[in-house]
């Protein structure tokens, strides 16, 4: 970890601003992180999985399902800055694995239930997700398809009052520890790359034929489990269909802004947290009788890191304001995601260099930040594909 809340001698100096209510929420999050995350996180990194108890503890602390309405047990806080506060506090102690797991549930599963779920579906699942008794995965990606969701082959065939689900998903966060998955499946009966109305979304609970595969050995963020999922004649009740049949890809497009905003926000947070930790280190570490901070190269590196961090934060602040107003487009969110994620990779790389040999040790916070940041240009749609989308949108104007 970087610093526990008690140990850190600095505040997160950010261009992002927060209200008094946000700061009250931060105090609650900080207490939860200090008692439930910080003491145990190294064990979770070694085990490559987190215990279910952390989810229940998070539920008791009120940090899950922030946007869920009060009638379903949530805090009814759709303002994305609350989620940003949670991400900041987890990143400050190096809790990237839990931050990722929470992001997968709160940014990639919950929005679909909130927007398209029936009242009965919300009553059934949302209170359990808020309490931490139900852990979910987002199962869109498949081997050979990646970001090209139209190439997905997982099928769901109607059989009276249910669907028979068959297929395979990969790179699924909480794939082993999760209880259910939001699954994208083709419902048009075809097997080739299909049209937009060929896919539907299903909330699939673990049952016979729903089998997690091997745990994938990731470079970083190792406390969160990632796995393949196999579905073999899984009988999914028809009432587990989310929204209308054939609208799966349309729904995903509508919620791309939140997914991309979450990655941009995480990128800015990792940049700021790593920069702050590096500042503390170079002021104390001496080489040849001088502090590392006293070398001109160090000042150049820190100046670049600071400017790029502040630019990322400004990008994120603008995106959050647009999201809260219901005006964030997929393209604008993509711009923030591409810029902030690539700057996070550069900043963590250059800061790691200033830690010297220590930064190369996997258990060191600088190494963990570097490895965590490296996921961000890939996750949620590769930056190459997002650049193409941004350019296409620009030329279409």
């Amino acid at each position: 970890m970087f610093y526990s809340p008690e140990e850190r001698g600095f505040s997160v100096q950010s261009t992002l601003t927060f209200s008094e209510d946000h700061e009250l929420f931060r105090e609650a999050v900080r207490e939860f992180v200090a008692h439930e995350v910080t003491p145990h996180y190294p064990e979770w990194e070694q085990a490559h999985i987190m215990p279910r108890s952390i989810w229940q503890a998070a539920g008791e602390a009120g940090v899950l399902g922030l946007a869920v309405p009060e009638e379903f047990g949530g805090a009814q806080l759709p303002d994305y800055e609350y989620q940003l506060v949670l991400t900041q506090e987890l990143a400050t102690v190096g809790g990237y694995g839990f931050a990722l797991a929470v992001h997968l549930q709160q940014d990639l599963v919950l929005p679909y239930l909130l927007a398209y779920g029936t009242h009965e579906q919300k009553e059934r699942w949302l209170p359990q997700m808020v309490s931490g008794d139900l852990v979910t995965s987002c199962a869109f990606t498949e081997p050979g398809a990646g970001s090209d969701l139209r190439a997905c082959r997982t099928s769901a065939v109607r059989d009276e009052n249910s669907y028979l689900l068959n297929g395979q998903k990969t790179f699924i966060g909480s794939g082993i520890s999760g209880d259910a998955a939001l699954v994208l499946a083709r419902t048009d009966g075809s097997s080739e790359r299909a049209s937009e109305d060929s896919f539907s979304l299903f909330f699939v609970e673990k049952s016979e034929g729903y089998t997690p595969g091997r745990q994938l050995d990731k470079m970083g963020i190792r406390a969160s489990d990632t796995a393949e999922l196999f579905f073999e004649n899984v009988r999914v009740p028809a009432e587990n269909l989310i929204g209308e049949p054939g609208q799966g890809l349309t729904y995903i497009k509508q919620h791309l802004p939140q997914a991309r905003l979450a990655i941009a926000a995480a990128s800015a947070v990792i940049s700021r947290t790593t920069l702050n930790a590096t500042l503390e280190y170079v002021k104390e570490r001496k080489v040849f009788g001088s502090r590392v901070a006293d070398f001109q190269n160090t000042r150049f590196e820190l100046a670049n890191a600071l400017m790029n961090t502040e630019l990322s934060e400004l990008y994120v602040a603008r995106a959050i304001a647009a999201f809260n107003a219901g005006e964030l487009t997929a393209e604008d969110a993509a711009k923030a995601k591409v810029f902030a994620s690539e700057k996070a990779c550069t900043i963590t790389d250059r800061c790691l260099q200033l830690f010297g040999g220590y930064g190369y040790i996997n258990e060191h916070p600088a190494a963990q930040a570097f490895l965590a940041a490296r996921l961000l240009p890939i996750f949620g749609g590769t930056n190459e594909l997002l650049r193409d989308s941004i350019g296409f949108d620009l030329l279409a104007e």
Side-chain angles (χ1 to χ4, degrees), residues 193-222:
R193 191 174 185 277
S195 61
E196 187 167 304
D197 60 358
S198 300
F199 299 89
S200 303
L201 289 175
F202 297 88
F203 193 84
V204 184
E205 297 165 283
K206 278 187 177 176
S207 60
E208 184 177 355
Y210 179 140
T211 308
R214 64 186 180 89
Q215 181 160 303
L216 302 176
D217 189 11
K218 306 190 297 289
M219 287 172 57
I221 319 184
R222 296 166 72 86

Side-chain angles (χ1 to χ4, degrees), residues 285-292 295:
R285 173 69 169 166
K286 290 189 175 182
V287 178
F288 301 117
S290 298
R291 301 182 309 166
V292 174
F295 290 89

Side-chain angles (χ1 to χ4, degrees), residues 292-325:
V292 174
D294 294 329
F295 290 89
Q296 186 183 56
N297 179 69
T298 302
R299 295 193 293 273
F300 282 2
E301 294 286 5
L302 293 175
N304 286 334
L306 175 63
M307 291 184 289
N308 283 312
T309 296
E310 289 185 348
L311 285 171
S312 292
E313 289 172 343
L314 290 169
Y315 229 146
V316 167
R318 189 177 74 169
I320 288 177
F323 176 82
N324 287 344

Side-chain angles (χ1 to χ4, degrees), residues 314-370:
L314 290 169
Y315 229 146
V316 167
R318 189 177 74 169
I320 288 177
F323 176 82
N324 287 344
E327 299 171 353
L328 182 63
T329 66
E331 285 71 29
D332 283 343
K335 296 171 195 173
K337 188 263 191 187
V338 170
F339 183 88
S341 64
E342 292 183 358
K343 293 307 178 186
C345 287
T346 300
I347 290 165
T348 55
D349 174 64
R350 301 315 302 158
C351 285
L352 185 152
Q353 183 72 18
L354 293 176
F355 280 95
Y358 293 107
Y360 194 66
I361 305 303
N362 264 340
E363 64 185 27
H364 194 277
Q368 293 181 16
F370 172 78

Side-chain angles (χ1 to χ4, degrees), residues 134-273:
L134 180 67
V135 178
T136 61
S137 303
C138 180
F140 294 168
T141 306
E142 295 187 7
S147 299
D148 183 7
L149 295 183
R150 288 192 184 186
C152 290
R153 293 178 173 273
T154 296
S155 65
V157 178
R158 186 67 184 254
D159 182 33
E160 296 183 350
N161 294 325
S162 62
Y163 287 83
L164 286 179
L165 184 69
N166 285 279
Q168 178 183 354
K169 301 291 182 178
T170 194
F171 309 138
I172 307 305
S174 301
I176 294 174
S177 60
D179 306 298
L182 183 68
V183 178
L184 177 70
R186 56 174 67 223
T187 46
D188 66 348
S190 68
S191 59
E192 301 300 323
R193 191 174 185 277
S195 61
E196 187 167 304
D197 60 358
S198 300
F199 299 89
S200 303
L201 289 175
F202 297 88
F203 193 84
V204 184
E205 297 165 283
K206 278 187 177 176
S207 60
E208 184 177 355
Y210 179 140
T211 308
R214 64 186 180 89
Q215 181 160 303
L216 302 176
D217 189 11
K218 306 190 297 289
M219 287 172 57
I221 319 184
R222 296 166 72 86
S224 66
D225 62 283
T226 303
E228 298 170 303
L229 293 181
F230 298 92
F231 304 106
E232 185 175 357
N233 290 324
V234 178
R235 192 166 290 278
V236 182
E239 58 264 28
N240 284 29
L241 172 70
I242 303 300
E244 297 296 323
Q247 295 300 302
L249 285 184
T250 299
Y251 294 157
I252 290 172
K253 284 184 178 181
Q254 290 172 350
H255 288 280
L256 282 175
Q258 181 169 347
R260 292 171 178 172
L261 170 60
I263 298 168
S267 301
V269 167
I270 288 177
S271 295
R272 174 63 67 176
T273 304

